[in-house]
Amino acid sequence: MSSAHDAGPGREVLTSDDISRALRRIAHEILEGNRGPQDLVLLGIPTRGAHLARRLGDALRQVEDVEVPVGSLDVTMYRDDLRHQPTRAVEPTHIPPPGVDGKVVVLVDDVLYSGRTVRSALDALADLGRPRAVRLAVLVDRGHRELPVRADYVGKNLPTSHSERVMVRLAESDDGDEGVRIAAPPAQEGTP
């Protein structure tokens, strides 16, 4: 017997409500760890990281009743795997008017895996200015780091195998469907 939560491939690990709760908790943690919201800038890594950054900005506004600048930081051209896989279309980078110099920049992404996307984001950010500090907020940390990268704010730690896929779906980019699922690798021929 299946339910709405069983729809689609894989096993659901976060619902839409879980994502909202995780973002509210991260908003509180960000505020507790900083002098105040006035020196913060949120930069989402497209595509889903940019959506999550906007939601996190909304959550910060609800908690502190202050507007935190939100932007996006495309890292496509800073990736170290451009030779090995096709690139996706470059998305616009939008740095909010206060810029990043002297600010606490919180990079926001959906899934932290190898750490290579974060390294790319740090390179891209270095071309834009000199933040006072850089923090990392992710919805899901699935482990398997290849670089010495650690998230400061995590919605859910989700141990996975290398062969599993973590699929984040957000209403803004996935036709209103929302949640996080883990999908096992497809069965190979001859495997029962």
Side-chain angles (χ1 to χ4, degrees), residues 31-133:
L31 290 170
E32 289 170 8
N34 288 285
R35 290 183 250 179
Q38 65 278 0
D39 67 340
L40 290 172
V41 174
L42 302 177
L43 292 180
I45 300 171
T47 296
R48 289 170 186 84
H51 299 314
L52 291 169
R54 284 190 288 280
R55 289 187 189 189
L56 193 51
D58 291 342
L60 287 163
R61 185 175 43 255
Q62 290 172 5
V63 171
E64 198 69 21
D65 194 30
V66 68
E67 201 71 34
V68 174
V70 178
S72 61
L73 181 66
D74 186 83
V75 302
T76 302
M77 301 313 294
Y78 292 86
R79 296 190 57 91
D80 63 2
D81 58 359
L82 290 175
R83 294 178 306 211
H84 304 292
Q85 61 183 347
T87 60
R88 62 178 178 78
V90 175
E91 296 194 28
T93 289
H94 169 69
I95 303 302
V100 296
D101 289 331
K103 301 290 186 180
V104 175
V105 173
V106 179
L107 295 173
V108 182
D109 205 2
D110 57 347
V111 178
L112 177 57
Y113 183 37
S114 68
R116 292 186 180 277
T117 299
V118 175
R119 187 215 41 89
S120 300
L122 292 170
D123 288 347
L125 188 58
D127 281 351
L128 298 171
R130 189 171 195 277
R132 181 167 52 84

Side-chain angles (χ1 to χ4, degrees), residues 10-11 163-165 182-187:
R11 169 177 56 95
S163 61
E164 290 176 311
R165 287 189 47 215
I182 296 179

